[in-house]
Amino acid sequence: MREIVSQKLALAMADDCIAFRVRALNRVITNLYDTVLQPFGITVNQATMLIMLSLVGEATSARIGQVLIMEKSTISRNLDRMKKQGWIESSSRDRGREQFVRVTPAGRELLAAFHPNWETAQLQASELLGDNGVSAVHTLHAAVRKKHPV
Amino acid sequence: MREIVSQKLALAMADDCIAFRVRALNRVITNLYDTVLQPFGITVNQATMLIMLSLVGEATSARIGQVLIMEKSTISRNLDRMKKQGWIESSSRDRGREQFVRVTPAGRELLAAFHPNWETAQLQASELLGDNGVSAVHTLHAAVRKKHPV
DNA sequence: TACCCTTGGTTGTATATACAACTTACACCC
DNA sequence: GGGTGTAAGTTGTATATACAACCAAGGGTA
């Protein structure tokens, strides 16, 4: 009896679960990008941070978190790895507890270097998701953005 | 000069990047579910595996990977954790290298117990994404499913 | 039978992620 | 000035994830 009940619940959850679907989507898409970026020794996550920093010039950890919707401890450790690679550096504009980081020339070179591969991944992702799928992704991101304003 | 070039590239990537958006979406949605499931000591990932196993009765690691689009090493370690919790057990139907797992009664009880909280997360996610967003998630998942047939 | 190949699973290593606890620097207020 | 609180970052711990390397079992074939 309990088994029948849990079966029905399981079926309902499997049919509707948003998290499962978003997570599977994330794994597949992340893999596409990580695969094409792998020759450059950078992950798609770090590439995203590099792109964002390149755009804004320099930013604090907290600012990166707002823009990219990332947790501060994740950012702290990722910045460490990127500094070790020489792609970013601490800015001289630090004041007190705030530490500004900016992209180094090597970081900018890397960004230009991996751009074609990023295009490849974009193309693969677009083909996989279709035009409607791609705009859906933008719309979905805009929706979560509302709850995490920049 | 190089800076100007990399700026333009960065802008293009930031504007269009599918991976960044999917990954941010994943973080936000995963968080909703993990938060409401936290009192039960289960993560949304493990809950997904529990639901799937409950539906199919029993399955091998490889089968779980096909259905949930998960890498075998991830599954191996997650099954370990779930066994330690007593939610699943090895089935007697093992043959050779294939190891079937199935949900225990305790696992079924847990599933029934957390169902209301899962509903809460579903509601929150639906409100966040809107009706169109929710169906977009289903469509996107169906698209990746095509490349990872069950 | 012996060899080889494929498939299922585990383990090592590294990144990504989140929460909690902690440290430190600033700001504010009395 | 001194206490108090808040905000920025770091570090500990645990899960999730992927790839590579490995081991084991089975199957096929010469």
Side-chain angles (χ1 to χ4, degrees):
Chain A
M1 191 56 203
R2 170 171 295 136
E3 262 153 88
I4 295 175
V5 171
S6 66
Q7 281 285 108
K8 285 191 182 174
L9 295 179
L11 188 57
M13 291 193 269
D15 274 349
D16 294 340
C17 190
I18 296 167
F20 155 57
R21 289 171 173 79
V22 165
R23 289 171 61 77
L25 175 67
N26 175 59
R27 285 192 291 271
V28 172
I29 296 296
T30 295
N31 239 270
L32 288 180
Y33 287 75
D34 276 343
T35 300
V36 304
L37 293 179
Q38 182 266 321
F40 298 91
I42 193 171
T43 61
V44 66
N45 184 55
Q46 292 171 11
T48 301
M49 293 173 73
L50 195 64
I51 291 165
M52 179 260 176
L53 283 173
S54 172
L55 275 185
V56 301
E58 58 186 15
T60 62
S61 196
R63 183 63 183 156
I64 298 172
Q66 285 175 347
V67 175
L68 302 185
I69 316 179
M70 288 172 64
E71 216 270 334
K72 62 183 181 174
S73 66
T74 305
I75 294 168
S76 176
R77 281 179 263 239
N78 283 338
L79 289 180
D80 266 358
R81 294 174 191 125
M82 295 171 74
K83 276 182 195 167
K84 280 202 191 88
Q85 299 285 341
W87 301 328
I88 62 171
E89 62 191 355
S90 290
S91 161
S92 48
R93 266 196 50 217
D94 291 12
R95 58 183 162 88
R97 65 214 163 172
E98 291 184 321
Q99 291 155 41
F100 287 79
V101 290
R102 63 168 174 239
V103 181
T104 62
R108 291 190 184 274
E109 272 176 46
L110 177 68
L111 191 147
F114 71 61
H115 177 259
N117 287 44
W118 173 86
E119 290 270 26
T120 302
Q122 279 283 110
L123 190 59
Q124 289 172 356
S126 302
E127 282 172 1
L128 182 60
L129 304 180
D131 286 349
N132 289 340
V134 172
S135 36
V137 168
H138 283 253
T139 307
L140 287 165
H141 177 254
V144 306
R145 175 94 286 165
K146 269 188 214 154
K147 293 279 176 174
H148 297 268
V150 185
Chain B
M1 189 56 203
R2 169 171 296 137
E3 262 153 88
I4 296 174
V5 171
S6 67
Q7 281 286 106
K8 285 191 182 175
L9 296 178
L11 188 56
M13 293 194 267
D15 273 350
D16 293 342
C17 189
I18 296 167
F20 156 57
R21 288 172 175 78
V22 165
R23 290 171 60 77
L25 175 67
N26 176 58
R27 285 192 292 270
V28 172
I29 297 295
T30 294
N31 240 271
L32 288 181
Y33 288 75
D34 275 344
T35 301
V36 302
L37 292 178
Q38 182 265 324
F40 298 92
I42 194 170
T43 62
V44 65
N45 185 56
Q46 293 171 10
T48 301
M49 296 174 73
L50 196 64
I51 291 166
M52 180 258 176
L53 283 172
S54 172
L55 274 184
V56 302
E58 58 186 15
T60 64
S61 196
R63 183 64 182 155
I64 298 173
Q66 286 175 346
V67 175
L68 302 185
I69 316 180
M70 287 173 66
E71 217 269 333
K72 61 184 182 174
S73 65
T74 306
I75 294 168
S76 177
R77 281 178 261 239
N78 282 337
L79 288 180
D80 267 359
R81 292 174 193 126
M82 295 170 75
K83 276 181 193 166
K84 280 204 192 87
Q85 298 285 341
W87 300 329
I88 61 171
E89 62 192 354
S90 291
S91 160
S92 47
R93 266 194 50 217
D94 292 10
R95 58 185 164 86
R97 63 213 165 173
E98 291 185 320
Q99 291 155 39
F100 288 81
V101 290
R102 64 167 172 238
V103 181
T104 61
R108 290 189 185 277
E109 270 175 48
L110 177 67
L111 191 146
F114 70 60
H115 177 259
N117 287 44
W118 173 86
E119 290 270 26
T120 301
Q122 278 284 111
L123 191 59
Q124 289 172 355
S126 303
E127 282 172 3
L128 183 58
L129 304 179
D131 286 350
N132 290 340
V134 172
S135 36
V137 167
H138 283 253
T139 306
L140 288 165
H141 177 254
V144 305
R145 174 95 284 164
K146 270 190 211 152
K147 293 279 174 175
H148 297 268
V150 183

